[in-house]
Amino acid sequence: MAPMLPPLADLPRAARAYIVLVVCAGVAIPAVLWPISPIVQGSLPKLIYLAIVVQVAGLMPIRHRMGVYHVTTGPLVAAGLLSPGPGVALVAWLFSFDGRVPGKDTRWWTVLVNRAVFAIAHGVASVIVFRLIPSTSGALPVKTVVYGLGLIALNWPLTAMAFSLLHQRPFWPLLRENLSLATLRSNLVLAFTGGLLYLVLLQPVGYWMGIGFLGILVAVRANMADANRHEEMKTQTLELAAQALDARDSYTESHSVRVADLAGRLGEAMGLGPREIDNLHLAGSLHDLGKIGIRDSVLNKSGPLTNEEWELMKTHPDIGADMVAKHSALAHVAPMIRHHHERWDGRGYPHQLQAREIPQGARILAVADSFDTITSPRHYRTGVMTTQEAVVDIASRAEVWYDPAVVHALQRVYPAPAPKRRVQRPSRKVKPKQVGAAEPVAVGEGQ
């Protein structure tokens, strides 16, 4: 489970202002759009039916290792085609409960922001379709495409700006990272699903046939659950391989597991998406896989390595990456494994890449790997650093060995403890000197 976001009061000032602005705009959108497209009384039964479908779909999310996917877009698009503007905006506000209890599982402000973004995106997109495209026979496919594109143009930038301000990352790179061709395709498919549901409801038996949408959702969830089980089996097999490799040396036991965990936490601190964080976990588990090709006399040598042995040791990133690259399901993490020993200044190995030539995932793995190495015992040195000593040591090498952005993320994951406040003891009250009283003389002082 992802960690709960901070309370609203603890967010950066710009993020707080943006959240308040989005929520206020979402609250106002039904009233603002009412004069353009008021709710028609004859559409109320179908709108209520779609509101129920939206709520049921909201309570049936599709869970995946990279996150939770909500499929309310389809019935919301149908509601927007049926009652554009305030109708669909109110449905988005009132019938999007996804089972998370505000205050217990999530923050209140995240619930309000999510629903406000839904209300704004669907309210505005539906009105654009209503105003620009006449309701003629054959216009529904065009309406559906324009509606879907409108949702993408509104929903994703609004959400990306929130993440940009929350994690203090540039807006455009963040938007480009998350708005892929697959995302566009998925959103358009869901929009077409909404168009089909709207078309079904126009038929005499539409209420009965509309239940089929929920049947499709149940089937998709079952297939996804099965796929998740296979994905979990694959991941556990890879983790078992990493643990078996670590077991060759008692000093590095569970090293790969810890590196994978820290790499994921660094990715979260940098505002990376669920897919990127998942890839970091995978690459972290396998980053030392190439050491399987290094003989034990070198891998477990207690003294310094000879030049020949060191050159052999430096081949392990290439060995591991080449092994991983042979498997299509893993090939995308091979560059992270190959380059996790490169340095920001270009003096690392195996290919002497520098700065942003090094894949971002490899830069993150480099910090996670170094942090675990210097905070864990090793046979070639005595003593380990504390967490704070390790953070200071790695920070001193930013822009030389490590990406400064990743170092900054490490400092957020392990913040420096606040300095202890000195407790001032209350000053002793001095009795007022009596007139004519003798002054005491300190011992040892001359007169």
Side-chain angles (χ1 to χ4, degrees):
M1 181 180 294
M4 188 181 292
L5 289 167
L8 183 63
D10 294 344
L11 299 181
R13 181 179 300 176
R16 290 201 306 270
Y18 179 76
I19 287 167
V20 171
L21 179 63
V22 169
V23 172
C24 290
V27 170
I29 206 76
V32 171
L33 297 179
W34 186 277
I36 301 174
S37 177
I39 298 176
V40 179
Q41 187 173 0
S43 66
L44 272 177
K46 290 184 176 64
L47 188 62
I48 293 172
Y49 176 90
L50 288 172
I52 295 172
V53 174
V54 169
Q55 185 55 82
V56 174
L59 292 172
M60 297 175 65
I62 297 175
R63 301 188 182 279
H64 190 262
R65 291 182 67 249
M66 293 184 295
V68 179
Y69 298 92
H70 299 281
V71 288
T72 54
T73 299
L76 279 172
V77 168
L81 293 170
L82 175 73
S83 182
V88 68
L90 289 172
V91 170
W93 265 114
L94 301 175
F95 296 91
S96 297
F97 177 63
D98 60 4
R100 293 179 298 173
V101 180
K104 179 182 177 183
D105 304 323
T106 188
R107 299 290 182 191
W108 269 104
W109 65 265
T110 61
V111 174
L112 294 176
V113 168
N114 288 337
R115 297 196 184 182
V117 169
F118 275 176
I120 294 169
H122 282 277
V124 173
S126 62
V127 165
I128 289 173
V129 169
F130 171 72
R131 299 288 292 182
L132 294 184
I133 304 173
S135 297
T136 59
S137 59
L140 183 59
V142 179
K143 285 186 173 185
T144 304
V145 170
V146 173
Y147 198 141
L149 293 175
L151 287 179
I152 293 169
L154 291 164
N155 193 347
W156 287 91
L158 286 172
T159 304
M161 180 57 73
F163 276 97
S164 173
L165 295 173
L166 280 172
H167 300 289
Q168 298 179 335
R169 292 188 61 204
F171 168 75
W172 287 110
L174 186 62
L175 182 62
R176 284 195 299 269
E177 287 172 11
N178 292 277
L179 192 57
S180 63
L181 183 61
T183 302
L184 296 173
R185 183 173 61 246
S186 299
N187 277 266
L188 287 175
V189 168
L190 288 173
F192 262 96
T193 303
L196 288 171
L197 182 57
Y198 166 74
L199 189 61
V200 165
L201 284 179
L202 296 181
Q203 309 306 313
V205 292
Y207 287 104
W208 292 105
M209 294 299 295
I211 297 175
F213 173 83
L214 298 177
I216 294 172
L217 178 58
V218 170
V220 170
R221 290 179 80 246
N223 289 337
M224 185 62 72
D226 187 55
N228 286 342
R229 282 193 294 271
H230 287 288
E231 184 77 14
E232 188 173 359
M233 288 173 60
K234 182 195 78 173
T235 301
Q236 290 179 352
T237 302
L238 293 173
E239 290 177 351
L240 182 61
Q243 290 172 13
L245 176 65
D246 288 344
R248 291 179 65 193
D249 180 358
S250 60
Y251 282 95
T252 61
E253 186 176 0
S254 300
H255 167 70
S256 296
V257 175
R258 294 192 299 269
V259 169
D261 176 68
L262 179 54
R265 292 164 66 190
L266 291 173
E268 290 176 359
M270 295 174 69
L272 301 186
R275 185 180 298 275
E276 294 164 301
I277 292 172
D278 191 63
N279 289 338
L280 283 170
H281 277 287
L282 182 57
S285 297
L286 300 174
H287 77 285
D288 275 343
L289 183 63
K291 287 183 179 179
I292 201 169
I294 307 299
R295 60 181 183 267
D296 287 346
S297 61
V298 174
L299 188 64
N300 296 326
K301 186 174 181 180
S302 57
L305 299 179
T306 66
N307 289 338
E308 180 185 355
E309 290 170 337
W310 178 237
E311 290 303 318
L312 177 62
M313 180 65 80
K314 289 197 295 185
T315 64
H316 83 267
D318 272 334
I319 294 173
D322 289 342
M323 293 172 65
V324 168
K326 293 177 181 178
H327 303 277
S328 59
L330 305 174
H332 60 286
V333 302
M336 300 187 204
I337 296 170
R338 191 180 305 278
H339 300 296
H340 75 276
H341 278 298
E342 306 285 1
R343 283 178 33 169
W344 186 258
D345 62 3
R347 300 177 65 182
Y349 64 89
H351 299 298
Q352 292 77 52
L353 301 184
Q354 63 179 349
R356 300 195 183 279
E357 293 176 353
I358 309 169
Q360 183 184 47
R363 287 179 259 145
I364 294 173
L365 283 181
V367 170
D369 187 28
S370 295
F371 180 87
D372 188 71
T373 298
I374 61 181
T375 56
S376 304
R378 291 292 187 271
H379 55 72
Y380 48 80
R381 58 167 163 76
T382 58
V384 297
M385 291 188 183
T386 66
T387 296
Q388 290 305 319
E389 288 172 343
V391 172
V392 171
D393 182 79
I394 289 174
S396 70
R397 304 173 197 272
E399 297 189 73
V400 180
W401 286 19
Y402 308 113
D403 179 352
V406 183
V407 173
H408 185 54
L410 180 68
Q411 291 171 323
R412 292 202 297 274
V413 172
Y414 294 107
K420 294 182 179 180
R421 296 177 60 186
R422 292 185 61 186
V423 180
Q424 283 190 334
R425 296 183 178 181
S427 58
R428 298 173 61 186
K429 293 183 178 180
V430 181
K431 295 178 68 175
K433 187 167 56 177
Q434 296 180 359
V435 178
E439 288 277 0
V441 179
V443 176
E445 287 186 354
Q447 294 184 359

